[in-house]
Amino acid sequence: MKKRRSLVKKQMILYFGVLIFTFACFGLSLVHIYAQRYVNEQEQQFILQGERFKESMNSLYYTGVVDTSRVNFELQIIERYMGASVFFMNKDGKISMVSPGIDEEWIGKTITDEAVNIVMSGNVATVKGKVGGMFDDVALTVGYPITLGGKLVGGIFMCKSVSVINDAASDMSVMVFGLTIPAIIIGFLLIYFFTRTIVKPLLDMKDAAKIIADGNFDKRIEYSANDEIGQLAESFNNMAESLEENEKTQREFIANISHDLRSPLTSIQGFIGAIADGTIPPEKQQRYFNIIQEETGRLTKLANDMLDLSRAEAGATVIEKCDFDINDLIRDSLDSMEPRLKKKNIETKAVFVDEVTEVNADPNKIQRVIQNLLDNAIKFTPDGGEIKVETTLKGNKVLVSVKDSGIGIKEDEKRKVFERFFKADSSRGLDKTGVGLGLSIVKEFIKAHGETIEVKSEEGKGTEFIFTLEKSKE
């Protein structure tokens, strides 16, 4: 079995890796910048000392007295101040004076080096090398040409071992990384704290999901922050609430469907038994046959509704579109409901945007939609109320509205009206025969057409369902 790594560990490895990489890049960059800056400063200081030496030599030249001991003293001062070895080379390329840091045996010798060639041509030289073998280690050498009376008389060379410069950079590295380690430790602790803060609600969701998977839907996530995790926790709680309500609805549905099945089956069984054993006389049998027929029709409708909804939710609904007049379909649906409308003395109004309004849809499915919406409106509209069916145009869409003056729907129940088996609390006393499938079928049929349906309602002031259909192109 493959070992699973926890989310906290994954996040810690990721964040800590990023932290180490960032600090390493920062530290190395800082050390590199410092080393480069240090070398540049050394070069500028050497050039400045060369300038001062030149001025000093010019001062001695114009006074007419060039004291060798004074020049040697200048070289010693530069060596002490700059920590560099210094020598003076005349215009013939021979070393004439050296600082204490250079063996005097070099005096009078001629050396060949890039820095010497540059200085003897009258330019400032900055090179790295061993200065013609004078030094065992590579040195940073800055050579400055010395002119007296406008003529080149030689050059001063200041040499500092690169290892000394590197030691300074190493000291800087130790200091940088010495400060980096505590920063990394503090960063690690902060990362761990914040990672736990972020991951904890996710772990809670994982545990809650296991509990919900076992059928316990009352588990909720406590997380108050208004961020993405908070939104996820809220969505999770909404999902759990929806599952809990769905479970409750399905239990109620099973109870309702059992009652709806048992009642007609009991009646059918009782009447058939009574007819068979002669309890019901022949002259009354037709009346009970009619009741049996009504009850079987009720059972057939219930079975068909459940089958249609199941097919629709599985995406197996077959839509056979054609062009037809939606006005005629509405009139036919109202005519089929006329006995029920008259029984409750409900006034109906049909308002059409045009005399003929052609749509492209499945007429059988749309007739079922309209009939279900009318059936729903009749159930919840009181005696003497009103039902209005209206069509309007919006672009290439035909909007069909079914509006009643009934009891309305509570605000918190509007989003649930299309859920299967859902029956609003206020409708339970009025809807004795339905099991809460009609509006679910309506939504699935409209959805299968690629159209939309919405509900507008205000408690005590009626309800309006509006769905769209594609207008015929011809």
Side-chain angles (χ1 to χ4, degrees), residues 253-316:
F253 165 73
I254 291 172
N256 291 337
I257 203 73
S258 298
H259 177 268
D260 288 335
L261 288 172
R262 185 170 57 248
S263 295
L265 287 174
T266 301
S267 298
I268 292 170
Q269 185 180 23
F271 292 144
I272 290 176
I275 292 172
D277 62 17
T279 304
I280 298 175
E283 64 272 13
K284 294 184 178 180
Q285 288 181 4
Q286 185 59 45
R287 175 172 172 269
Y288 289 101
F289 278 132
N290 291 337
I291 295 175
I292 291 172
Q293 187 176 17
E294 290 177 3
E295 295 295 343
T296 55
R298 180 180 167 189
L299 288 174
T300 301
K301 182 180 182 303
L302 177 60
N304 288 336
D305 284 350
M306 293 180 65
L307 183 60
D308 288 340
L309 182 60
S310 177
R311 286 175 177 171
E313 290 180 340

Side-chain angles (χ1 to χ4, degrees), residues 27 34 45 57 67 83 85 129 144 151 193 197 224 257 309 350-351 397 400 434 454 465 467:
Y34 172 78
Q45 287 294 324
M57 292 291 286
D67 187 357
S85 300
Y144 196 92
K151 296 181 180 180
F193 172 76
T197 302
S224 57
I257 203 73
L309 182 60
V351 180
K397 299 291 183 182
V400 181
E454 63 174 321
F465 288 92
F467 64 91

Side-chain angles (χ1 to χ4, degrees), residues 123-190:
N123 298 310
V124 176
T126 301
V127 297
K128 288 181 180 180
K130 295 187 178 182
V131 196
M134 182 179 289
F135 303 102
D136 295 331
D137 297 328
V138 176
L140 172 66
T141 301
V142 175
Y144 196 92
I146 304 299
T147 57
L148 298 176
K151 296 181 180 180
L152 181 70
V153 297
I156 182 172
F157 295 84
M158 294 153 283
C159 309
K160 190 168 188 176
S161 174
V162 172
S163 63
V164 175
I165 297 174
N166 291 337
D167 289 342
S170 297
D171 293 339
M172 180 64 180
S173 301
V174 172
M175 183 177 69
V176 168
F177 288 106
L179 294 173
T180 299
I181 291 173
I184 289 176
I185 294 173
I186 294 172
F188 177 82
L189 295 175
L190 291 174

